[in-house]
């Protein structure tokens, strides 16, 4: 993984998949973070959270703009690995035992109906809603005990950043196996519920998913965008200077 904007990220999609699939095959445990603008912002303001992100098995870049500037700095073609795309890719593989964790019972019920159309085995997989509470308040021992009985290959965690990354970090020592993915609203996107759907394809093609999310959740998303715009330019400047020094050496 390369360190970009103070976060370890693997930009090679094939290498990401190899790391994940080899870890699953070896029955290892770990977690994957989908790093978007919000996570870049928080991780550069909170050193403990930065440590959590950089302790991941592997991190993917879920920001088109971050991938674009990385390409400029490194002078190589780079594309983001969008969490929603990775999610549906692994569902369509129809080969892994999975647990779906977080969100609401309503969303999980609808998600189960949608996903079992793709892979009928999912009808027998475990969908677990979690109570609304602070990340330090969860009963990690009992949650992990329930997960361990299922012996999952993959655990999808949907609690929103920064909560889901902290959750994965705290529960990891108590798990026997399973690769966790902290993918926020992605369970909502694939639930089939109209109010929670992903942006139209034309907006995805023009890297405008953030605009659609802003339309869906104006107050929540504007807060994230404002913080990102206030942090990202200075981080890019630091990264640019760092790369210039490397080139001169």
């Amino acid at each position: 993984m390369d360190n970009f904007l103070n976060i370890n990220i693997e930009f090679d999609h094939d290498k990401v998949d190899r790391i994940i699939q080899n870890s699953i095959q070896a029955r290892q445990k770990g977690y994957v973070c989908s790093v978007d603008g919000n996570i870049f912002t928080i991780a550069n303001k909170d050193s403990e959270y930065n440590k959590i992100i950089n302790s991941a098995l592997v991190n993917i870049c879920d920001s088109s703009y971050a991938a674009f500037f990385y390409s400029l700095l490194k002078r190589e073609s780079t594309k983001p690995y969008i969490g929603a795309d990775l999610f549906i890719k692994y569902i369509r593989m129809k080969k892994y035992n999975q647990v779906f964790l977080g969100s609401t019972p309503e969303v999980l019920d609808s998600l189960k109906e949608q996903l079992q159309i793709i892979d009928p085995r999912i009808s027998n997989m475990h969908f677990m809603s979690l109570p609304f509470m602070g990340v330090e308040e969860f009963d990690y021992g009992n949650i992990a005990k329930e997960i361990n009985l299922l012996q999952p290959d993959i655990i999808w965690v949907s609690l929103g950043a920064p909560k889901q990354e902290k959750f994965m970090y705290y529960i990891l020592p108590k798990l026997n196996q399973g690769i966790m993915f902290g993918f926020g609203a992605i369970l909502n996107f694939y639930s089939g519920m109209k109010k929670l759907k992903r942006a139209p394809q034309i907006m995805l093609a023009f890297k405008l998913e953030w605009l659609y999310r802003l339309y869906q959740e104006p107050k929540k998303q504007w807060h994230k965008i404002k913080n990102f715009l206030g942090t990202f330019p200075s981080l890019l400047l630091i990264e640019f200077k760092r790369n210039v020094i490397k080139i001169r050496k």
Side-chain angles (χ1 to χ4, degrees):
M1 287 191 286
D2 197 1
N3 188 280
F4 179 63
L5 305 181
N6 300 317
I7 294 180
N8 298 328
I9 297 181
E10 181 54 66
F11 287 91
D12 185 327
H13 297 196
D14 291 336
K15 188 171 182 180
V16 168
D17 288 330
R18 284 198 301 272
I19 291 170
I20 293 169
Q21 293 172 34
N22 288 343
S23 298
I24 292 173
Q25 187 173 6
R27 295 190 176 278
Q28 295 174 350
K29 59 182 181 178
Y31 58 90
V32 178
C33 301
S34 181
V35 182
D36 60 6
N38 186 44
I39 290 181
F40 274 118
T41 302
I42 301 171
N44 277 282
K45 293 182 177 180
D46 183 336
S47 60
E48 186 61 28
Y49 185 65
N50 185 278
K51 174 186 172 183
I52 289 171
I53 299 298
N54 285 331
S55 296
L57 175 70
V58 65
N59 293 320
I60 61 172
C61 180
D62 196 348
S63 167
S64 299
Y65 299 102
F68 171 75
F69 285 110
Y70 179 87
S71 297
L72 289 181
L73 287 170
K74 301 297 181 178
R75 299 178 183 178
E76 59 184 63
S77 178
T78 304
K79 294 181 179 179
Y81 201 165
I82 304 300
D85 296 334
L86 187 152
F87 173 80
I88 201 63
K89 175 180 180 179
Y90 277 72
I91 294 295
R92 287 172 176 158
M93 286 181 183
K94 304 180 184 180
K95 61 187 290 188
Y96 295 122
N97 180 27
Q98 302 164 75
V99 169
F100 301 82
L101 192 64
S103 198
T104 66
E106 179 187 18
V107 169
L108 292 179
D109 287 345
S110 185
L111 177 70
K112 187 174 185 178
E113 289 182 10
Q114 295 297 315
L115 296 185
Q116 67 188 18
I117 296 172
I118 301 172
D119 181 3
R121 298 179 313 118
I122 287 178
S123 63
N124 296 317
M125 294 182 190
H126 199 66
F127 289 70
M128 185 193 307
S129 184
L130 293 173
F132 183 76
M133 59 176 58
V135 71
E136 294 83 8
E137 301 175 73
F138 286 112
D139 186 345
Y140 289 101
N142 278 328
I143 296 172
K145 185 177 180 180
E146 187 172 353
I147 293 172
N148 287 335
L149 290 173
L150 301 167
Q151 298 182 314
D153 301 310
I154 289 175
I155 304 160
W156 303 104
V157 182
S158 178
L159 294 172
K163 190 174 182 179
Q164 64 200 10
E165 290 77 30
K166 293 179 180 180
F167 178 93
M168 295 189 296
Y169 182 78
Y170 295 152
I171 202 172
L172 181 64
K174 302 180 184 301
L175 295 177
N176 295 334
Q177 69 177 66
I179 305 304
M180 294 178 283
F181 294 79
F183 278 9
I186 290 172
L187 300 192
N188 296 345
F189 291 158
Y190 287 101
S191 69
M193 300 174 70
K194 291 183 179 180
K195 64 180 180 179
L196 302 172
K197 66 181 181 179
R198 197 178 177 193
Q201 282 298 322
I202 190 168
M203 296 189 79
L204 296 177
F206 285 96
K207 317 299 183 188
L208 293 174
E209 186 165 13
W210 64 271
L211 187 59
Y212 189 79
R213 296 288 302 278
L214 180 61
Y215 165 75
Q216 286 182 312
E217 304 172 301
K219 187 175 180 180
K220 179 181 178 180
Q221 296 301 324
W222 173 243
H223 177 72
K224 291 180 180 180
I225 292 170
K226 183 174 67 173
N227 288 338
F228 175 69
L229 292 175
T231 305
F232 198 62
S234 59
L235 291 176
L236 278 176
L237 181 59
I238 293 170
E239 192 71 37
F240 176 76
K241 291 179 178 178
R242 186 185 301 163
N243 277 268
V244 168
I245 291 172
K246 285 182 180 179
I247 292 172
R248 287 177 177 174
K249 286 182 178 181

